[in-house]
Amino acid sequence: MSITVLEHTLVPVCGPEDLEIGWGEAAWIDGEQIALFRTGVEEYFAVSHHCPGSEAKVMARGIVGDTTIDGTRVATVACPLHKEVYRLDTGHCLNADTAPLPVHPVVVHEGRICLEGK
Ligand code: FES
């Protein structure tokens, strides 16, 4: 089921209570494996579940953390296999010259965590 709000298509995925802070969950959405993360009380991210390093479907089991870049806190996830660290907001890899992790915009709409533009 998808909802069109102000010309944006939103795909409801789950409620905030379904995501534990500091952990990831995998979801199958429109034929794609997505890794969802809750990194704060009201901070959510969605990225591909496939690690760009090997295409292994492991990112929801990654190690959630953060770092500071230019004075700003940035949420990160480290791949559980080879520990490449990706920004959750942009998908850029911080410790290797590898392809970025695809990211998906997340919004909270009517109490549901939704992917935007799917
Ligand atoms: S499989 Fe993810 S860093 Fe190698």
Side-chain angles (χ1 to χ4, degrees), residues 51-56 58-59 79-84 86:
C51 180
S54 71
E55 289 298 310
V58 296
M59 294 312 294
C79 175
L81 293 182
H82 303 116
K83 309 301 186 276
E84 290 179 359
Y86 298 90

Side-chain angles (χ1 to χ4, degrees), residues 72-88:
T72 301
R73 178 190 158 272
V74 175
T76 61
V77 62
C79 175
L81 293 182
H82 303 116
K83 309 301 186 276
E84 290 179 359
V85 178
Y86 298 90
R87 290 179 63 145
L88 282 170

Side-chain angles (χ1 to χ4, degrees), residues 4-109:
T4 300
V5 178
L6 300 176
E7 308 205 17
H8 293 277
T9 300
L10 303 178
V11 178
V13 179
C14 62
E17 69 281 2
D18 297 319
L19 298 177
E20 192 172 342
I21 294 173
W23 294 92
E25 294 290 345
W28 180 259
I29 300 169
D30 286 346
E32 184 178 353
Q33 293 189 37
I34 303 291
L36 294 164
F37 296 96
R38 184 176 188 180
T39 55
V41 173
E42 295 187 28
E43 185 178 57
Y44 306 96
F45 296 96
V47 298
S48 173
H49 189 41
H50 297 225
C51 180
S54 71
E55 289 298 310
K57 301 171 186 77
V58 296
M59 294 312 294
R61 297 295 165 255
I63 302 154
V64 176
D66 60 23
T67 190
T68 301
I69 298 176
D70 297 330
T72 301
R73 178 190 158 272
V74 175
T76 61
V77 62
C79 175
L81 293 182
H82 303 116
K83 309 301 186 276
E84 290 179 359
V85 178
Y86 298 90
R87 290 179 63 145
L88 282 170
D89 58 347
T90 65
H92 289 107
C93 185
L94 297 175
N95 64 343
D97 186 20
T98 188
L101 184 62
V103 298
H104 301 279
V106 175
V107 297
V108 179
H109 177 72

